[in-house]
Structures are given as C-alpha cells and as structure tokens.
Amino acid sequence: DFRNNYEVCVDSFGTMWQSDNDDDGNKGVRINYVMDYGSFGYSDEMTGAAWQTPRPNIEEEIPKRHWHQNDPGTIPNLLQTGAGSPTGILVNEGTALGPQFANQLIHCDAGPRTVRAYPVENDGAGYKATMVDILTSSDQWYRPADVAIAPDGSLYVADWYDAGVGGHGMADHDKGQIMGRIYRVAGNAPVAPAPDFSTAEGAAKALQSPNKITQYIAWQKLHALGAAAEPALLALFKNENPRFRARALGVLTHLPGSEVKYLIAGLNDADANVRIAAIRLTRELAKTGGLDTTPLESDPALVGKLLKDTAQVRREIALSLTGAKGIEKLWVALAQQHDGKDRWYLEALGIGARGNEDACFDAWLAAVGDRWNTPAGRDIIWRMRSAKAAGYLAKIIEDQSIAENEKPRYVRSFDFLPENADKTKALVQLAGLGGNMNSIAAEALTRLKNTDPSASPDVKAALDKQLAASAGTLRFAEIVRDFGLKGQGAAVLDAALKNLQSPQAGDALKLVLAEPNAGEILDAALAGPQAEAVVTLLGTSSAPRTINVLAKIATTPTNLLARRTAAVQALARSQTGAQTIIQLAKNNELPADLKSIATAALNLVQYPALKADIAALFPTAAALGGQPLAPITELVKIKGDLAHGKVLAERAESSCVTCHRIGDKGVDFAPALSEIGSKLPKEAIFDAIINPNASISMGFETTQLETKDGTVAIGIVRSETNDELVLALPGGASNSFTRKQIAKREKLTTSMMPSGLNQALTQQDLVDLVEYLASLKKP
C-alpha cells in the first residue's frame, strides 16, 4: 500500500527497494525494503481510511503516522528522508564510484535537489540505512530526476532543470526554452566496453557488468544457450563476488532438469544473501514453473540448517510459507526464535501464517504453554490474526504489570481480527473496565457497535457508563452515532461546540440535524451565549436546512453584526452556501455592512462554477493598491522583510494559516509549508501564490460532489473507504458522505486556493511574504 509506487529497483539477490512520496508537506518521504506480500501502510489495511483518521496507538510523529507504522501488519520503513519529491532509484553493484558507494542504493530526490546514497546495513531480519549526499547544488532549478549506472560503472544523472516539483507545473528558466542536463559522476574518463554476447564465456563475462541492460542481454543469451552455457556459468558461480554467484544461480536454476541441483547449491552457499536468492528462486520456480520442491523439503539436514540460519534467511523461509498447507511445525520453529525486538521478523511471521492463522497460533500455544506472556510472546499475539488471539489480548490489557502506555497497542490489534464469538466476548470484558482503564473501555465499546445493548446487560451497562464519562467530548458523539441512540441531540451539540476546531465537529452536527427536534435544539443554542460558535459550526454543513438558517441569521437586521458576520463566513465555506450569498446579493437582500465581509470570505476559497458571479458581484480591491504587479523575474530581485512576512503569513486575511500548517500554526488542509523553502525557489513560490491553478500538488486536487438531495460540496478528499468519503474543508473542518448519498463526483482542474490572493497585498507585502516562506527550510 504505497503512496506513489514508481521508484523501484532490484539487486542481484532479488531484493526489491522502493521509494515513495508523502502527502505533500508531511516530511514523510521514505525508502523501503519491499518484503514480499507485505502491506506498506499508506492507508488503513482493513478499512482503507486515510492516515489522518484517529485510531488507538496512533503515532506521535506525523511522518510515522503517515505510514501506519504502529499497526500490526505494516512493514517498517527502512528510512524516512523527510520532505521531498523522490524520483529514480538504483543499486550500484559496480566499483567505479569507490568502496563507499559500492553495492549501495543511490536515489534522486528532486525536492531538496540531491542525489544520495543510502548505505544499508543488516538489522535483524531487516535493514537500517543512513544518507550520504553524492551530487547536490545550491542552484534551486537543479532537479535530479533519474539515475543510471553505465557499463563502465560511472553514474549518470538526468536533471530536468525546473523551478518546482509536483503538480506537473513546468517552468522555463529562459522563457520559451525547455532545459535539461545530464551529469556524469566518476573518477575516470568515459569508457565504452564492448561485450561479446556471441559465446557463453563472453555472455558470462557480460553478466558481471554493473549496467542493468548489459546484464539483461547477457542473461537472455545464456538462458537461450541452455546446457551449452553451463560450464561458463559454473565458473562464474565459483567467483568470490556473491553478487556474481547469485546472477549465475539465476540462470543455472532455470536449466531444465537441473533446477533442484542448483537450488541445493545455492541454499548451501557461504553467503547468506546467496542463500536468500536461492530461497526466492525456489519460491518463484514452484509458483510460476510448477517445480516439485519435495526433494528440498524432505532433506532434514538442509531444512534443519536453514531453520537455524541468520534472521534474514529465516525471514525468507517464513515468507515462503504463505498460503501453503501443513506448515505449523515449520512456522512454530521460526516463531520460537523471535526475540521480541525484531519487527521485520515479526511481520515475516505474520505474513507466513496468512491463511493458516488459527492452526499456527494453536501450534505455537501448545509449544510455549504457560510461557506465552513474554515480550516475544505478546508480540506474536499482537500480530496474529487468529480468533483465539482476542482472549489473550484481553489478558495482556488487564495485566497490571504491563505499562499503561503500551496497552493501546493491543487494543488496536482487535481491529485486525476476524469477527467471532471470542472477539466479542473479550471486548465485552474490556468494555466493563473502569478507573484508569476507562479509555480502554471506551475503545472496546466502540468496537461493539454492532452489538444490541438490549440483548446484552454487560454492553448496556458499559454503554451507560461511557456516555456519562464522555459527556462534552466528541467521544460522546461517536457513541451516539455508533449505537444509533436517539434523544441525545442537545448533548451532542454541546460536545461539538466544546470541540469546534476538531474536524469531527461537523459529523456531530449531522447527528443533531437527524433529531426530530433539531430545529428546537438549534434555536435554543442560537438564543444562548454560544450563538456565534453555533453559527460557525453550521458552516461545516451544506445541508439545505443549515444554509437556510445561516441565510436568515445574516439577513436579520436585529442580529448583532458579529453574529451576522459569522453567518456569512460560515456560508462561504461551502459551494451551496456561496451560491446563497450570491443570490442574496442579486436580490439586493445582502445587508450593505456585510458586503466587504462577503467579498473577503468568498475570495478565500476558489469555486470555479461561481467565479464569474463572484467577480461581478464581489470584486476584490484593485491589485496591489492599484499599481501593476512587476514580473516575477523582477520580484525575486527585491529584498523582503522576513519578520514582516511572518506576520503576514499568520494573519487571517492572507489565508496562509487558514489552510496550511507552518510549524505549530495553521491547519492541515492544504500542503504544509514548514519546509517549503527547501522545495521551491522564490520564483516558484511567487508563481504558486499568483497562479495557484498552474500546479496542484498530488493528493490535494479539488473534488466536487453532488448528493442525491441536490447539495453541492467541494473540498479535498481526505479519506475514502468502501462506505464513506471524507472531504476536507478550508479551515480544518471536514464533511463526510456515505457512498449512497453521492449522486455525482468530479475532480476539478482548479486549486481550492483562489487566484488573486496577491491582490490583498501591496507589492512589498507580497515580496515580504515570499521572503518568509522561502526561509522555511529543512534543518
């Protein structure tokens, strides 16, 4: 489950490496070792929900949260590289770049403008890595896009030479002239080797090339020669370089009739990586070539040796068990070697048990007996998806010797278990907990939402207790929603108003609106001291009844100006509400003292379908005090006031922190700007403000929905499951829609960020703002 899975490479041992991007601005670009059959955590494995969705044991750091790193079943990241825009990746298996970069990952990151190596070391059943820059530049147009190793071992780098990355917004450094560059990185003059593919010996020599195309041609030639290539390949299989031996093995094991012989030779190789390559070849030949692997599996000496091999070799054995039958004995032998510290190994065990979870779990319990409650044992219970695991999870959670901050981890594990009587029983048991376990009890109760409280006294008692304990919180609203409780509208509204800044406040409002006496509840709240907060909350809904309420508030002269102002601003947050403001203006029903408020609010968000009406009825002030704006090429030469730019970025009128996060300020709606200066030069930042539609970051495209009742909603898709779609709205709120509600869905070509924001600034203000944004760089 990757974000953008297009940067992939494979080394001679068959190990796959990959890089993918984060949702822009979250410092979550990562490098992965791609474990076979693994899930890589961009979305919730079970529901498809986005990484922002609340969950037990949620990661504190957003880059880790982005990839569900605390969830059972998610493969660990090899390395997180921070903010960036990753592109080409390879494994350099040559020596021409020197020992520091031999056999290492090399990767382009066009965002921070660097080509890096990631020296990889073994780490248990997985790996760890560091970062070493190879080719960087202070030229902010340098954008390394791809890398390749030439036949002479030198490194070639392609630079698309652009002002920015992401969103497909291209720029020409010199107007009308598309530019790009190729760099060669080496310690010697270029050489063009002339491989000889006409003989087996020549092809075997060519198979040793660091260049992938040369290797491919050589492999095809040797494979076509068949048995005639065997002597040359055997000579290569004796080479001291294990990567050459693995390449030879990849051809030898495809010789008809000799597969098992050479697989055994590979499995007995002195190098663990060659043994891993042999296990992978065995798996490949069995699944795609129908190879009978009985001779390998029935050799007790070979199997016994491999079961005691390195953690990485045992990892590959575990992966090979996936979906097979009668694996319990082998799986338990592997599971008993888990040390409680190696997440890579634990995930391999979980993958290996897939399809046989109950049998493997029962066999493991029989083997460990009463010794299951150890760090390693608790790990296995947390990861296993067996029906019987639920009871053991409950025991761990109730164990007073387990640290309180560890327990949410085990609660989260319930979300990955199949629905069954054991799971329900364990959750009912946990839902009745009290005292310092109240938060655990609340989570357990949430997972019982499909249980009828009237049929279970224990669930009913837990439900009543949690309602009382969660009053005034959004947890209260969630319980009301999950159990379909009626008559709780006033209390739910109170919870929403106390948590107005939460994206979930809008969902609570929907529960209020669903009550038969919703009108009375809202009227009472609007007559009280929190009236303006109620108005703001109503702005999270585009339902006709809330739009009508807001319009009435805005146009009632006896209402306080602050309340009418809040109503107009709330209306402007949805397209349906914005249409209402336009209609009021056309009917001369919009009070004059709200005209400037409406103008500012409608120009903070871009509604393409309403653009002409907004321009005609609510024109913004003359651009930059009536003066024409200088070209961007001239703006970048003007010195800005960084401190004043910071003030401008943080004020509401500029709308930066209304939609973007800058450090600890702002909201997570549009891409975070905390390190925007590392990604974009000033030219690109100016262009993004003046021409926001020119380049829209991936994942932040504008989506317009039309529901079956005629409501139009516009926003950014934050999360999407089989049942629900969540739209993020400017200001940090969100609006959820069931699939059944949606009549039409359209991805727009325009950004939510409106054009003409620069018109609210003087030219110097704009320069100051960009000066500040350009200073926000990676530490």
Side-chain angles (χ1 to χ4, degrees), residues 260 285-286 289-297:
V260 170
L285 290 166
L291 178 69
D292 180 7
T293 58
T294 303
L296 301 175
E297 296 162 4

Side-chain angles (χ1 to χ4, degrees), residues 335 338-341 346 361 364-365 368 371-384 392-393 396 409-410:
H338 177 50
D339 61 5
K341 301 175 183 177
L346 178 65
F361 193 59
W364 176 76
L365 287 173
V368 299
R371 294 174 288 106
W372 63 267
N373 197 5
T374 64
R378 292 193 294 272
D379 250 9
I380 288 173
I381 291 166
W382 173 77
R383 178 59 182 83
M384 286 298 285
Y392 287 88
L393 288 169
I396 293 169
R409 176 179 191 245
Y410 300 101

Side-chain angles (χ1 to χ4, degrees), residues 32 116 133 137 153 164 203 206 261 321 343 350 442 447 452 492 537 587 622 663 715 778:
N32 291 308
R116 303 188 191 102
D133 286 346
S137 174
K261 177 177 68 174
L321 301 178
R343 176 71 180 277
R447 285 153 183 77
D452 181 3
V492 170
L537 178 63
N587 296 341
K778 190 174 182 178

Side-chain angles (χ1 to χ4, degrees), residues 253-304:
T253 53
H254 284 77
L255 295 178
S258 297
E259 298 95 339
V260 170
K261 177 177 68 174
Y262 287 119
L263 286 172
I264 291 174
L267 292 168
N268 283 293
D269 193 272
D271 189 274
N273 280 310
V274 177
R275 299 197 294 277
I276 288 170
I279 294 171
R280 289 171 174 158
L281 286 164
T282 302
R283 195 156 68 223
E284 173 202 329
L285 290 166
K287 292 196 173 186
T288 63
L291 178 69
D292 180 7
T293 58
T294 303
L296 301 175
E297 296 162 4
S298 59
D299 183 340
L302 178 61
V303 172

